[in-house]
Amino acid sequence: MNGQTPMGLAAAAAAAVRPCRRRLLSSATAAAAAATVATATPLFPRCPHPHHHLHGRRLPFLASAASQQQQQSGQTAASPATPPIPSDPRAAVSGNLPFFDRVLFPDTFPVETPPPSSAAASAAAAADEEVASALKAREETEAEREAWRLLRRAVVSYCGEPVGTVAAEDPECTETLNYDQVFIRDFVPSALAFLMRGETEIVRNFLLHTLQLQSWEKTVDCYSPGQGLMPASFKIRAVPLDDNNEAFEEVLDPDFGESAIGRVAPVDSGLWWIILLRAYCKITGDNALQERVDVQTGIKLILSLCLSDGFDMFPTLLVTDGSCMIDRRMGIHGHPLEIQALFYSALRCSREMLVMNDGSKNLLRAINNRLSALSFHIREYYWVDMKKINEIYRYKTEEYSHDATNKFNIYPEQIPSWLVDWIPEKGGYLIGNLQPAHMDFRFFSLGNLWAITSSLTTPKQAEGILSLIDEKWDDLIANMPLKICYPAMEDDEWRIITGSDPKNTPWSYHNGGSWPTLLWQFTLACIKMGRPELARRAIAVAEEKLAADKWPEYYDTRSGRFIGKQSRSYQTWTIAGFLTSKMLLENPELASILTCDEDLELLEGCACCLSKKRTRCSRRAAKSHVVE
């Protein structure tokens, strides 16, 4: 990294993005300013969806894709705003020029044209019908209109610029706790909704201001965590500039876990930041942002923290309980699937965005080695289906050798009774966790869905996960998508593992609750695997209830029939997840800003340096799964 130490990189990041401070006006001046603001242009004027206007603004990567298709079909690429007029006006009658151009510009064409053949007439009619349907904007539903109104209401500004959305904006709730803060993981679906709407300023501001917070001093009882840690959330505070409280300045106040319940560090925040940065740059074409020194430094700091050497023997990230979306004690300490899937995705995104130079060569080499080892580890050891369960059922234990079959010394008695009848004949999933003598067989939705999105699974495994969700629809979707995990822990298991957590009682909150915000990630996975009909079914289920139930954070009971007992209303990522899901289905090509395709080069070589006497972990076997 150009020979810089982590402290030097942090200093560079802090110098590149200065804290923004603004004096707040006194009461007299503020009243006059408020009158001016009342007549100002709205902060977020309604922008059309990109696909609503055939000749309107084209997203950079979509325009390039369209040009490639035209070149492949032997056509010349034309400007989206001015479609070419053919030299022979009769071509317009044959359907080579859109119908609306002929109507709006009649002088371009002669009054008399030769009558087309019946085949040409049919082709012209079909082409005109296709163009007309493309130009017709889909009418938003009442639920979508309300969702956009609520999402805009949740926007917060810093120094006059939008920088994020609060976690929840419930006017009926007086106890705000930390729901009035901007959470990195919570803002991701909001950011995607704004990006697909063409409103990119708020996402750019969010990325840069959270990057500024990365280098802040952070301590918990006099202990400071490693450089590169991103905050879980931040809040905008007004701090008086003098003793008489006449003038104030706005400051960003981050929370790195020192105020959180349980004081857990947000491991996933930096991973989500990298994923969102790549999505922003792909949809806007603003590659200059990712090439900035401070942004490159921020990426390297996050990766340095994640790729640092430790005592672990596995390529997976070792984390404590509650370090991700499940931020309370739920028995996911160790190597939880959610963190591994996000880690893999962040590595793939970073590899695309890092600027190649002498300082990044070693880092890129470390990324490739980790990707290779991580993909093999997850595909080989986390995957379970009927065949794998049968193998585990017949495992021999206490094997001491390099070629052991039961590498983690898993005892067959660990197979839970619920799994025996639940696992379908076709399909499978990635288990929630793997450690020596321990397999967590619970199904965790976010980890499985993001493994599909990032191509951490093989295509065959990805199809198997969606097949399992389809087969077990009543268990995982039912009355509200989507179960955060299945099944719930009950009785003694709940008391021992959660510490008798009153919020995580069986089939509630993290312990088997249903979270509508997972809908957008389900939609993303379905689009990537060519099964959008599953997403449409789930969205239809959610749309019936969400608005009427005031957009709650989660639902309780085995089938998700009740609003969560401690669920907040008007939860922002519930609202944004619904909108993002609808927009992804309307514009499936936009899924490419988040997905990663299979990279066969990662399966070519092994990251381990094993002697000839030891069995080499076979990438050929892993690669064979891809092409099956």
Side-chain angles (χ1 to χ4, degrees):
M1 286 187 252
N2 284 332
Q4 295 189 45
T5 63
M7 292 298 293
L9 292 174
V17 184
R18 297 290 182 185
C20 176
R21 307 206 185 282
R22 180 185 63 158
R23 279 181 176 269
L24 300 184
L25 304 176
S26 62
S27 56
T29 314
T36 305
V37 172
T39 59
T41 304
L43 184 61
F44 288 108
R46 177 180 173 83
C47 295
H49 291 288
H51 74 290
H52 283 171
H53 299 284
L54 188 64
H55 306 302
R57 180 180 63 84
R58 296 292 297 276
L59 300 175
F61 71 95
L62 296 182
S64 61
S67 300
Q68 292 176 2
Q69 291 178 357
Q70 288 179 342
Q71 291 173 2
Q72 292 174 358
S73 60
Q75 300 174 0
T76 57
S79 169
T82 56
I85 298 176
S87 57
D88 182 5
R90 289 175 296 180
V93 184
S94 301
N96 293 334
L97 195 70
F99 169 76
F100 287 98
D101 287 353
R102 301 202 304 273
V103 175
L104 295 175
F105 308 102
D107 295 339
T108 309
F109 309 100
V111 177
E112 297 181 2
T113 55
S117 63
S118 58
S122 300
D128 290 342
E129 184 179 350
E130 181 179 352
V131 171
S133 61
L135 290 172
K136 187 186 298 182
R138 183 187 66 84
E139 185 69 22
E140 286 184 334
T141 64
E142 183 61 35
E144 290 175 84
R145 286 192 289 270
E146 181 187 10
W148 274 112
R149 179 180 62 81
L150 294 172
L151 183 59
R152 297 186 192 286
R153 189 178 75 178
V155 171
V156 295
S157 296
Y158 173 59
C159 298
E161 296 180 339
V163 293
T165 52
V166 294
E169 182 71 19
D170 186 358
E172 300 176 1
C173 184
T174 57
E175 190 179 18
T176 58
L177 296 178
N178 59 353
Y179 285 89
D180 61 344
Q181 299 186 25
V182 180
F183 283 80
I184 288 186
R185 80 171 68 93
D186 292 35
F187 179 68
V188 171
S190 298
L192 296 175
F194 284 127
L195 285 176
M196 289 188 285
R197 191 83 162 182
E199 302 172 14
T200 61
E201 179 192 9
I202 185 173
V203 184
R204 180 186 173 89
N205 293 338
F206 171 85
L207 290 167
L208 292 178
H209 282 300
T210 48
L211 178 65
Q212 170 194 336
L213 299 176
Q214 185 187 37
S215 58
W216 279 37
E217 182 181 355
K218 39 203 174 285
T219 59
V220 178
D221 295 337
C222 303
Y223 176 76
S224 298
Q227 289 291 328
L229 184 67
M230 280 286 189
S233 62
F234 66 85
K235 187 174 183 177
I236 300 167
R237 298 187 184 277
V239 179
L241 286 174
D242 45 40
D243 296 335
N244 57 13
N245 294 337
E246 286 293 327
F248 296 81
E249 66 175 355
E250 289 182 339
V251 297
L252 295 175
D253 184 12
D255 181 7
F256 292 90
E258 67 269 27
S259 301
I261 297 173
R263 303 301 189 264
V264 290
V267 178
D268 62 339
S269 292
L271 307 177
W272 277 121
W273 185 87
I274 290 175
I275 293 169
L276 180 59
L277 173 65
R278 183 233 193 187
Y280 168 85
C281 293
K282 288 201 71 171
I283 202 170
T284 62
D286 186 10
N287 293 327
L289 178 68
Q290 71 185 35
E291 294 171 0
R292 286 174 43 157
V293 174
D294 54 330
V295 174
Q296 288 287 307
T297 300
I299 296 173
K300 292 175 181 179
L301 283 172
I302 295 171
L303 295 180
S304 296
L305 188 62
C306 294
L307 295 172
S308 59
D309 295 331
F311 291 99
D312 203 6
M313 290 295 294
F314 311 131
T316 43
L317 273 184
L318 178 63
V319 298
T320 60
D321 219 340
S323 57
C324 51
M325 178 181 175
I326 297 177
D327 56 7
R328 299 167 76 95
R329 182 177 167 189
M330 270 287 291
I332 64 168
H333 58 279
H335 308 86
L337 176 64
E338 177 178 333
I339 289 293
Q340 314 316 320
L342 293 174
F343 180 37
Y344 184 84
S345 181
L347 290 176
R348 292 287 304 269
C349 295
S350 299
R351 193 173 62 164
E352 292 181 20
M353 296 186 294
L354 280 173
V355 175
M356 176 63 77
N357 53 43
D358 293 337
S360 61
K361 286 182 180 179
N362 290 336
L363 182 58
L364 286 169
R365 187 180 300 111
I367 290 174
N368 284 327
N369 288 340
R370 195 61 167 264
L371 283 170
S372 178
L374 183 60
S375 63
F376 178 80
H377 186 85
I378 296 295
R379 294 175 177 190
E380 185 73 12
Y381 303 124
Y382 276 63
W383 177 255
V384 292
D385 53 13
M386 195 64 178
K387 178 182 177 182
K388 186 65 176 288
I389 295 296
N390 268 289
E391 291 178 5
I392 298 173
Y393 184 72
R394 297 171 59 84
Y395 265 171
K396 294 179 181 179
T397 58
E398 314 301 330
E399 291 183 296
Y400 181 80
S401 64
H402 296 306
D403 56 353
T405 302
N406 187 2
K407 292 182 173 62
F408 299 93
N409 200 34
I410 303 298
Y411 297 97
E413 289 76 13
Q414 289 186 27
I415 300 176
S417 57
W418 63 266
L419 182 62
V420 175
D421 296 322
W422 192 76
I423 190 77
E425 291 292 333
K426 294 183 179 180
Y429 66 99
L430 298 174
I431 61 173
N433 212 327
L434 176 65
Q435 299 183 75
H438 173 66
M439 294 183 77
D440 186 346
F441 287 97
R442 285 177 292 175
F443 176 90
F444 287 86
S445 294
L446 194 152
N448 275 276
L449 295 175
W450 209 256
I452 296 174
T453 300
S454 63
S455 289
L456 178 55
T457 59
T458 67
K460 185 176 180 180
Q461 289 172 346
E463 292 173 2
I465 293 170
L466 293 184
S467 295
L468 178 136
I469 294 175
D470 191 13
E471 178 77 16
K472 299 298 177 181
W473 190 269
D474 292 339
D475 292 329
L476 303 175
I477 307 293
N479 292 284
M480 180 55 63
L482 192 65
K483 277 279 179 283
I484 192 170
C485 71
Y486 182 91
M489 294 181 293
E490 301 179 287
D491 304 324
D492 289 341
E493 186 183 27
W494 164 74
R495 281 187 285 272
I496 294 170
I497 294 181
T498 72
S500 300
D501 188 345
K503 196 169 185 178
N504 272 333
T505 52
W507 304 108
S508 177
Y509 202 50
H510 299 142
N511 190 16
S514 298
W515 291 69
T517 187
L518 294 173
L519 191 59
W520 73 270
Q521 301 181 68
F522 179 57
T523 303
L524 195 63
C526 291
I527 290 174
K528 183 171 187 278
M529 298 308 299
R531 300 191 64 178
E533 72 283 355
L534 287 179
R536 291 192 184 95
R537 283 175 60 192
I539 292 173
V541 171
E543 193 165 9
E544 286 184 6
K545 299 178 61 178
L546 284 178
D549 293 343
K550 300 181 180 179
W551 308 93
E553 182 179 20
Y554 64 95
Y555 285 76
D556 284 351
T557 72
R558 184 187 290 266
S559 59
R561 294 186 63 189
F562 294 171
I563 298 173
K565 58 186 175 183
Q566 296 188 42
S567 177
R568 291 293 172 119
S569 297
Y570 304 107
Q571 189 79 19
T572 303
W573 69 350
T574 296
I575 297 165
F578 167 75
L579 288 173
T580 300
S581 300
K582 298 278 284 192
M583 296 170 77
L584 282 171
L585 277 183
E586 285 183 48
N587 306 270
E589 66 278 0
L590 292 178
S592 63
I593 68 174
L594 291 160
T595 59
C596 296
D597 294 328
E598 179 69 47
D599 187 350
L600 295 180
E601 291 184 4
L602 293 175
L603 305 176
E604 291 293 340
C606 178
C608 322
C609 296
L610 303 179
S611 64
K612 296 181 180 179
K613 296 181 180 179
R614 296 176 60 181
T615 303
R616 184 181 180 87
C617 51
S618 173
R619 290 302 188 276
R620 291 184 180 179
K623 190 173 181 180
S624 67
H625 292 313
V626 177
V627 296
E628 282 182 357

